[in-house]
Amino acid sequence: MGVVILVVMAAGVAAMLTRRIPTAFALVILAVAIAFLAGAPLTGEHSVLDTVLQEGAPALAATMVAIILGSWLGRLLDETGIAGTLVRKIVEFGGDRPTVVALGVLAVSALVGTVTGSAPAAMLAGIIGIPAMIAVGVPKVTAAGTVLMGIAVGAPFELPVWQFFSTALNLPIPTVRGFMVKLFPFALAAALAYVVIETRRRGTEHAWSLKSVPARPRSRREQLGDAPWYALLAPLVPLVLALGLEVAIVPSLLAGVGYALVTTTKPREMNKRLLRTLYGGFEVAAPPITLFVAIGILLAAVKLPGAVDALQPLVKAVSPDNPVLFVLVFTLLVPLCLYRGPLNVFGLGAGIAGVLIATGIYPAAAVLGMATSYNQVFGVADPTSTQTVWSAQYAGVTPQQVMLRTLPYVWAVALGGLCVTAALYL
């Protein structure tokens, strides 16, 4: 039966790769199919309806709340002009020096990436940052990749991501935080190398075109001017609280929302801005929340006793237990997290991670290291990820061009993360 389950999982991957079924829907269908193949009854204990669907759907509720709050803070950074001001100040400081401007945009992207991920983060840093880089001669592909590499630098400190891995892998937040801190130097080194090498190796190209992107009207914040200097600290507030003072994730994000609001908004306008940005945050958060509902259902399915018993011998037979082989094999498998592949943690990869833990093949901390290492690749180089598509199109290039340019750098990040994982947990 284990072989049949693997065949069904492969069919699910094919459906997602060909875009015939949206990822979230494919994961739910896959979960129900696995549950039936594992011998789960329709209702009752360890059942399809009560365990997989009813208990699985809200399993990642804490992550969904964190996503909403992060999206809310991201909308505030946009509407209040905090993100735009950060980018403009960096560009003014860099002048006409391409590498300096790119490094500045990289820093802002990293800061924004700690608050929110995906396309909203790319837009916050890239709407001003990408045209500014191209205007001083940074090649278009390099400009798009710089924003994405910067977001990847901030990803190890993105609080909703901490909550996701904590809930999905049943690990305490301090364990997730500890590994993320160790992953950060690799992401930072790769991003710096990307900017320095690509801006110098490719030379300067003074051409700017946004053929497919309509003109963006000036926001009210842009018309009023820059945000106050002290408001620019807003993205750091949740990070300082969660990382430095070990405050819980939800209150840390709420503190960031409150700080951004108080430092930029007059008292009589606070209520309207709070509601407006909160509703806007829900719009941004809707796609990832839908995906996390599906992932929770899939995790519930692969953890059913019947599924664990069927998959354990097969997974154990192909999973390397030697630390050197672990690093070698899973480094070679990095491309499988691209194009919504089977190792994409925000797709079927979450189910595979659940299988590895439920069957006892690897400790949960080792699966955390593997999944977060792959996430660094997916977040930058996957041509189907929303932030990659937006950044590439806004710069006037294709996502595949960005993938080819950034993949060697993020592959190295994954290698570093897997080496740390093997050294610490195997």
mmCIF file of all heavy atoms in Angstrom, residues 5-23 25-27 29-30 336 338-344 347-349 352 384:
data_model
loop_
_atom_site.group_PDB
_atom_site.id
_atom_site.type_symbol
_atom_site.label_atom_id
_atom_site.label_comp_id
_atom_site.label_asym_id
_atom_site.label_seq_id
_atom_site.Cartn_x
_atom_site.Cartn_y
_atom_site.Cartn_z
ATOM 1 N N ILE A 5 0.471 4.729 -2.253
ATOM 2 C CA ILE A 5 0.420 6.085 -1.699
ATOM 3 C C ILE A 5 1.457 6.978 -2.370
ATOM 4 O O ILE A 5 1.176 8.137 -2.719
ATOM 5 C CB ILE A 5 0.624 6.059 -0.171
ATOM 6 C CG1 ILE A 5 -0.571 5.381 0.515
ATOM 7 C CG2 ILE A 5 0.811 7.473 0.376
ATOM 8 C CD1 ILE A 5 -0.419 5.235 2.015
ATOM 9 N N LEU A 6 2.657 6.439 -2.581
ATOM 10 C CA LEU A 6 3.704 7.222 -3.240
ATOM 11 C C LEU A 6 3.313 7.561 -4.683
ATOM 12 O O LEU A 6 3.601 8.657 -5.171
ATOM 13 C CB LEU A 6 5.023 6.452 -3.217
ATOM 14 C CG LEU A 6 5.689 6.298 -1.846
ATOM 15 C CD1 LEU A 6 6.978 5.492 -1.971
ATOM 16 C CD2 LEU A 6 5.986 7.661 -1.226
ATOM 17 N N VAL A 7 2.656 6.616 -5.363
ATOM 18 C CA VAL A 7 2.202 6.876 -6.734
ATOM 19 C C VAL A 7 1.157 7.986 -6.740
ATOM 20 O O VAL A 7 1.175 8.885 -7.597
ATOM 21 C CB VAL A 7 1.630 5.590 -7.365
ATOM 22 C CG1 VAL A 7 0.943 5.901 -8.688
ATOM 23 C CG2 VAL A 7 2.723 4.563 -7.570
ATOM 24 N N VAL A 8 0.243 7.953 -5.777
ATOM 25 C CA VAL A 8 -0.774 8.997 -5.664
ATOM 26 C C VAL A 8 -0.129 10.353 -5.381
ATOM 27 O O VAL A 8 -0.527 11.386 -5.950
ATOM 28 C CB VAL A 8 -1.799 8.637 -4.577
ATOM 29 C CG1 VAL A 8 -2.727 9.811 -4.285
ATOM 30 C CG2 VAL A 8 -2.614 7.416 -4.999
ATOM 31 N N MET A 9 0.880 10.353 -4.515
ATOM 32 C CA MET A 9 1.593 11.600 -4.218
ATOM 33 C C MET A 9 2.288 12.129 -5.471
ATOM 34 O O MET A 9 2.294 13.336 -5.732
ATOM 35 C CB MET A 9 2.593 11.381 -3.084
ATOM 36 C CG MET A 9 1.942 11.042 -1.749
ATOM 37 S SD MET A 9 3.126 10.615 -0.432
ATOM 38 C CE MET A 9 3.739 12.238 0.010
ATOM 39 N N ALA A 10 2.867 11.232 -6.262
ATOM 40 C CA ALA A 10 3.504 11.655 -7.519
ATOM 41 C C ALA A 10 2.480 12.243 -8.474
ATOM 42 O O ALA A 10 2.752 13.236 -9.169
ATOM 43 C CB ALA A 10 4.215 10.462 -8.159
ATOM 44 N N ALA A 11 1.294 11.656 -8.507
ATOM 45 C CA ALA A 11 0.235 12.201 -9.352
ATOM 46 C C ALA A 11 -0.178 13.587 -8.881
ATOM 47 O O ALA A 11 -0.464 14.481 -9.693
ATOM 48 C CB ALA A 11 -0.969 11.257 -9.344
ATOM 49 N N GLY A 12 -0.203 13.777 -7.564
ATOM 50 C CA GLY A 12 -0.510 15.102 -7.021
ATOM 51 C C GLY A 12 0.524 16.137 -7.425
ATOM 52 O O GLY A 12 0.186 17.275 -7.770
ATOM 53 N N VAL A 13 1.801 15.747 -7.389
ATOM 54 C CA VAL A 13 2.871 16.651 -7.831
ATOM 55 C C VAL A 13 2.687 17.015 -9.301
ATOM 56 O O VAL A 13 2.824 18.181 -9.690
ATOM 57 C CB VAL A 13 4.253 15.993 -7.615
ATOM 58 C CG1 VAL A 13 5.351 16.831 -8.250
ATOM 59 C CG2 VAL A 13 4.528 15.815 -6.131
ATOM 60 N N ALA A 14 2.361 16.024 -10.116
ATOM 61 C CA ALA A 14 2.160 16.285 -11.537
ATOM 62 C C ALA A 14 1.003 17.258 -11.765
ATOM 63 O O ALA A 14 1.086 18.156 -12.616
ATOM 64 C CB ALA A 14 1.891 14.966 -12.274
ATOM 65 N N ALA A 15 -0.068 17.098 -10.991
ATOM 66 C CA ALA A 15 -1.217 18.001 -11.134
ATOM 67 C C ALA A 15 -0.843 19.434 -10.778
ATOM 68 O O ALA A 15 -1.296 20.389 -11.422
ATOM 69 C CB ALA A 15 -2.368 17.512 -10.257
ATOM 70 N N MET A 16 0.008 19.588 -9.747
ATOM 71 C CA MET A 16 0.430 20.934 -9.341
ATOM 72 C C MET A 16 1.406 21.528 -10.339
ATOM 73 O O MET A 16 1.356 22.724 -10.645
ATOM 74 C CB MET A 16 1.040 20.890 -7.941
ATOM 75 C CG MET A 16 0.009 20.665 -6.832
ATOM 76 S SD MET A 16 0.710 20.691 -5.165
ATOM 77 C CE MET A 16 1.415 19.054 -5.059
ATOM 78 N N LEU A 17 2.312 20.700 -10.861
ATOM 79 C CA LEU A 17 3.301 21.200 -11.815
ATOM 80 C C LEU A 17 2.648 21.662 -13.107
ATOM 81 O O LEU A 17 3.061 22.664 -13.702
ATOM 82 C CB LEU A 17 4.331 20.105 -12.113
ATOM 83 C CG LEU A 17 5.365 19.810 -11.031
ATOM 84 C CD1 LEU A 17 6.230 18.625 -11.434
ATOM 85 C CD2 LEU A 17 6.240 21.030 -10.769
ATOM 86 N N THR A 18 1.643 20.948 -13.549
ATOM 87 C CA THR A 18 0.982 21.301 -14.806
ATOM 88 C C THR A 18 -0.094 22.364 -14.618
ATOM 89 O O THR A 18 -0.731 22.768 -15.588
ATOM 90 C CB THR A 18 0.342 20.046 -15.422
ATOM 91 O OG1 THR A 18 -0.580 19.461 -14.483
ATOM 92 C CG2 THR A 18 1.401 19.016 -15.779
ATOM 93 N N ARG A 19 -0.299 22.801 -13.386
ATOM 94 C CA ARG A 19 -1.290 23.838 -13.056
ATOM 95 C C ARG A 19 -2.718 23.407 -13.395
ATOM 96 O O ARG A 19 -3.591 24.247 -13.599
ATOM 97 C CB ARG A 19 -0.968 25.144 -13.791
ATOM 98 C CG ARG A 19 0.420 25.698 -13.542
ATOM 99 C CD ARG A 19 0.526 26.289 -12.158
ATOM 100 N NE ARG A 19 1.803 26.949 -11.953
ATOM 101 C CZ ARG A 19 2.013 28.236 -12.199
ATOM 102 N NH1 ARG A 19 1.019 28.986 -12.688
ATOM 103 N NH2 ARG A 19 3.177 28.781 -11.982
ATOM 104 N N ARG A 20 -2.971 22.111 -13.480
ATOM 105 C CA ARG A 20 -4.324 21.655 -13.772
ATOM 106 C C ARG A 20 -5.232 21.821 -12.557
ATOM 107 O O ARG A 20 -6.439 21.984 -12.707
ATOM 108 C CB ARG A 20 -4.297 20.191 -14.219
ATOM 109 C CG ARG A 20 -3.586 19.992 -15.557
ATOM 110 C CD ARG A 20 -3.761 18.580 -16.080
ATOM 111 N NE ARG A 20 -3.159 18.431 -17.399
ATOM 112 C CZ ARG A 20 -3.224 17.323 -18.125
ATOM 113 N NH1 ARG A 20 -3.873 16.267 -17.651
ATOM 114 N NH2 ARG A 20 -2.652 17.273 -19.310
ATOM 115 N N ILE A 21 -4.642 21.716 -11.380
ATOM 116 C CA ILE A 21 -5.391 21.898 -10.134
ATOM 117 C C ILE A 21 -4.599 22.863 -9.265
ATOM 118 O O ILE A 21 -3.381 22.697 -9.100
ATOM 119 C CB ILE A 21 -5.588 20.563 -9.387
ATOM 120 C CG1 ILE A 21 -6.253 19.518 -10.288
ATOM 121 C CG2 ILE A 21 -6.431 20.770 -8.132
ATOM 122 C CD1 ILE A 21 -6.404 18.162 -9.635
ATOM 123 N N PRO A 22 -5.238 23.889 -8.699
ATOM 124 C CA PRO A 22 -4.522 24.788 -7.788
ATOM 125 C C PRO A 22 -3.883 24.013 -6.633
ATOM 126 O O PRO A 22 -4.418 22.979 -6.196
ATOM 127 C CB PRO A 22 -5.626 25.726 -7.282
ATOM 128 C CG PRO A 22 -6.674 25.685 -8.351
ATOM 129 C CD PRO A 22 -6.637 24.296 -8.912
ATOM 130 N N THR A 23 -2.746 24.506 -6.151
ATOM 131 C CA THR A 23 -1.977 23.777 -5.144
ATOM 132 C C THR A 23 -2.805 23.414 -3.925
ATOM 133 O O THR A 23 -2.773 22.264 -3.457
ATOM 134 C CB THR A 23 -0.760 24.621 -4.714
ATOM 135 O OG1 THR A 23 0.072 24.874 -5.852
ATOM 136 C CG2 THR A 23 0.048 23.881 -3.661
ATOM 137 N N PHE A 25 -6.061 23.051 -3.537
ATOM 138 C CA PHE A 25 -7.066 22.027 -3.838
ATOM 139 C C PHE A 25 -6.410 20.665 -4.045
ATOM 140 O O PHE A 25 -6.915 19.634 -3.592
ATOM 141 C CB PHE A 25 -7.862 22.410 -5.084
ATOM 142 C CG PHE A 25 -8.682 23.661 -4.928
ATOM 143 C CD1 PHE A 25 -9.166 24.339 -6.030
ATOM 144 C CD2 PHE A 25 -8.961 24.176 -3.667
ATOM 145 C CE1 PHE A 25 -9.923 25.489 -5.892
ATOM 146 C CE2 PHE A 25 -9.720 25.323 -3.512
ATOM 147 C CZ PHE A 25 -10.196 25.989 -4.619
ATOM 148 N N ALA A 26 -5.263 20.668 -4.732
ATOM 149 C CA ALA A 26 -4.561 19.405 -4.979
ATOM 150 C C ALA A 26 -4.117 18.757 -3.663
ATOM 151 O O ALA A 26 -4.198 17.533 -3.507
ATOM 152 C CB ALA A 26 -3.349 19.657 -5.873
ATOM 153 N N LEU A 27 -3.665 19.565 -2.712
ATOM 154 C CA LEU A 27 -3.223 19.022 -1.427
ATOM 155 C C LEU A 27 -4.378 18.398 -0.651
ATOM 156 O O LEU A 27 -4.219 17.357 -0.006
ATOM 157 C CB LEU A 27 -2.561 20.120 -0.594
ATOM 158 C CG LEU A 27 -1.239 20.689 -1.132
ATOM 159 C CD1 LEU A 27 -0.721 21.782 -0.211
ATOM 160 C CD2 LEU A 27 -0.198 19.587 -1.288
ATOM 161 N N ILE A 29 -7.236 17.134 -1.962
ATOM 162 C CA ILE A 29 -7.601 15.895 -2.664
ATOM 163 C C ILE A 29 -6.600 14.798 -2.347
ATOM 164 O O ILE A 29 -6.963 13.635 -2.090
ATOM 165 C CB ILE A 29 -7.684 16.147 -4.179
ATOM 166 C CG1 ILE A 29 -8.823 17.118 -4.493
ATOM 167 C CG2 ILE A 29 -7.878 14.841 -4.941
ATOM 168 C CD1 ILE A 29 -8.845 17.591 -5.932
ATOM 169 N N LEU A 30 -5.327 15.162 -2.352
ATOM 170 C CA LEU A 30 -4.266 14.204 -2.046
ATOM 171 C C LEU A 30 -4.401 13.673 -0.622
ATOM 172 O O LEU A 30 -4.238 12.472 -0.369
ATOM 173 C CB LEU A 30 -2.908 14.879 -2.238
ATOM 174 C CG LEU A 30 -1.658 14.018 -2.071
ATOM 175 C CD1 LEU A 30 -1.673 12.866 -3.066
ATOM 176 C CD2 LEU A 30 -0.410 14.872 -2.276
ATOM 177 N N LEU A 336 14.233 19.905 -6.589
ATOM 178 C CA LEU A 336 12.890 19.360 -6.403
ATOM 179 C C LEU A 336 11.987 20.263 -5.570
ATOM 180 O O LEU A 336 10.794 19.967 -5.415
ATOM 181 C CB LEU A 336 12.959 17.975 -5.752
ATOM 182 C CG LEU A 336 13.584 16.866 -6.600
ATOM 183 C CD1 LEU A 336 13.553 15.539 -5.852
ATOM 184 C CD2 LEU A 336 12.872 16.732 -7.948
ATOM 185 N N LEU A 338 11.710 23.405 -6.522
ATOM 186 C CA LEU A 338 11.312 24.416 -7.494
ATOM 187 C C LEU A 338 10.076 23.962 -8.265
ATOM 188 O O LEU A 338 9.750 22.769 -8.303
ATOM 189 C CB LEU A 338 12.461 24.683 -8.470
ATOM 190 C CG LEU A 338 13.776 25.167 -7.856
ATOM 191 C CD1 LEU A 338 14.849 25.279 -8.930
ATOM 192 C CD2 LEU A 338 13.581 26.493 -7.149
ATOM 193 N N TYR A 339 9.401 24.904 -8.900
ATOM 194 C CA TYR A 339 8.204 24.625 -9.689
ATOM 195 C C TYR A 339 7.161 23.840 -8.869
ATOM 196 O O TYR A 339 6.525 22.920 -9.372
ATOM 197 C CB TYR A 339 8.567 23.849 -10.958
ATOM 198 C CG TYR A 339 9.259 24.690 -12.001
ATOM 199 C CD1 TYR A 339 10.645 24.665 -12.129
ATOM 200 C CD2 TYR A 339 8.533 25.522 -12.850
ATOM 201 C CE1 TYR A 339 11.293 25.440 -13.083
ATOM 202 C CE2 TYR A 339 9.171 26.294 -13.810
ATOM 203 C CZ TYR A 339 10.548 26.255 -13.918
ATOM 204 O OH TYR A 339 11.184 27.030 -14.856
ATOM 205 N N ARG A 340 7.006 24.222 -7.611
ATOM 206 C CA ARG A 340 6.041 23.553 -6.721
ATOM 207 C C ARG A 340 6.303 22.058 -6.653
ATOM 208 O O ARG A 340 5.377 21.240 -6.580
ATOM 209 C CB ARG A 340 4.605 23.799 -7.202
ATOM 210 C CG ARG A 340 4.245 25.262 -7.349
ATOM 211 C CD ARG A 340 4.071 25.935 -6.015
ATOM 212 N NE ARG A 340 3.853 27.368 -6.157
ATOM 213 C CZ ARG A 340 3.628 28.191 -5.140
ATOM 214 N NH1 ARG A 340 3.591 27.726 -3.917
ATOM 215 N NH2 ARG A 340 3.454 29.483 -5.334
ATOM 216 N N GLY A 341 7.598 21.686 -6.667
ATOM 217 C CA GLY A 341 7.979 20.282 -6.664
ATOM 218 C C GLY A 341 7.716 19.587 -5.338
ATOM 219 O O GLY A 341 7.243 20.192 -4.370
ATOM 220 N N PRO A 342 8.059 18.305 -5.245
ATOM 221 C CA PRO A 342 7.713 17.505 -4.067
ATOM 222 C C PRO A 342 8.425 17.917 -2.790
ATOM 223 O O PRO A 342 8.003 17.512 -1.707
ATOM 224 C CB PRO A 342 8.115 16.080 -4.481
ATOM 225 C CG PRO A 342 9.120 16.268 -5.568
ATOM 226 C CD PRO A 342 8.707 17.497 -6.297
ATOM 227 N N LEU A 343 9.496 18.695 -2.879
ATOM 228 C CA LEU A 343 10.202 19.128 -1.672
ATOM 229 C C LEU A 343 9.907 20.582 -1.317
ATOM 230 O O LEU A 343 10.575 21.138 -0.455
ATOM 231 C CB LEU A 343 11.712 18.919 -1.843
ATOM 232 C CG LEU A 343 12.159 17.454 -1.920
ATOM 233 C CD1 LEU A 343 13.675 17.353 -2.046
ATOM 234 C CD2 LEU A 343 11.675 16.660 -0.710
ATOM 235 N N ASN A 344 8.938 21.177 -1.986
ATOM 236 C CA ASN A 344 8.513 22.531 -1.631
ATOM 237 C C ASN A 344 7.728 22.460 -0.325
ATOM 238 O O ASN A 344 6.651 21.858 -0.261
ATOM 239 C CB ASN A 344 7.652 23.113 -2.754
ATOM 240 C CG ASN A 344 7.061 24.454 -2.392
ATOM 241 O OD1 ASN A 344 7.360 25.035 -1.355
ATOM 242 N ND2 ASN A 344 6.207 24.961 -3.255
ATOM 243 N N GLY A 347 3.942 23.036 0.061
ATOM 244 C CA GLY A 347 3.178 22.159 -0.804
ATOM 245 C C GLY A 347 3.332 20.742 -0.298
ATOM 246 O O GLY A 347 3.213 20.479 0.899
ATOM 247 N N LEU A 348 3.632 19.822 -1.220
ATOM 248 C CA LEU A 348 3.774 18.428 -0.830
ATOM 249 C C LEU A 348 4.955 18.216 0.112
ATOM 250 O O LEU A 348 4.976 17.254 0.890
ATOM 251 C CB LEU A 348 3.935 17.557 -2.084
ATOM 252 C CG LEU A 348 3.958 16.052 -1.868
ATOM 253 C CD1 LEU A 348 2.678 15.591 -1.178
ATOM 254 C CD2 LEU A 348 4.150 15.321 -3.182
ATOM 255 N N GLY A 349 5.929 19.118 0.066
ATOM 256 C CA GLY A 349 7.079 18.986 0.960
ATOM 257 C C GLY A 349 6.686 18.963 2.424
ATOM 258 O O GLY A 349 7.344 18.317 3.246
ATOM 259 N N ILE A 352 5.775 15.413 3.116
ATOM 260 C CA ILE A 352 6.970 14.572 3.214
ATOM 261 C C ILE A 352 7.680 14.810 4.541
ATOM 262 O O ILE A 352 8.165 13.873 5.189
ATOM 263 C CB ILE A 352 7.905 14.854 2.026
ATOM 264 C CG1 ILE A 352 7.246 14.376 0.726
ATOM 265 C CG2 ILE A 352 9.259 14.188 2.217
ATOM 266 C CD1 ILE A 352 8.023 14.685 -0.521
ATOM 267 N N THR A 384 7.627 29.955 -10.046
ATOM 268 C CA THR A 384 6.187 29.981 -9.797
ATOM 269 C C THR A 384 5.813 30.707 -8.510
ATOM 270 O O THR A 384 4.624 30.879 -8.230
ATOM 271 C CB THR A 384 5.620 28.548 -9.718
ATOM 272 O OG1 THR A 384 6.147 27.882 -8.553
ATOM 273 C CG2 THR A 384 5.984 27.754 -10.958
#
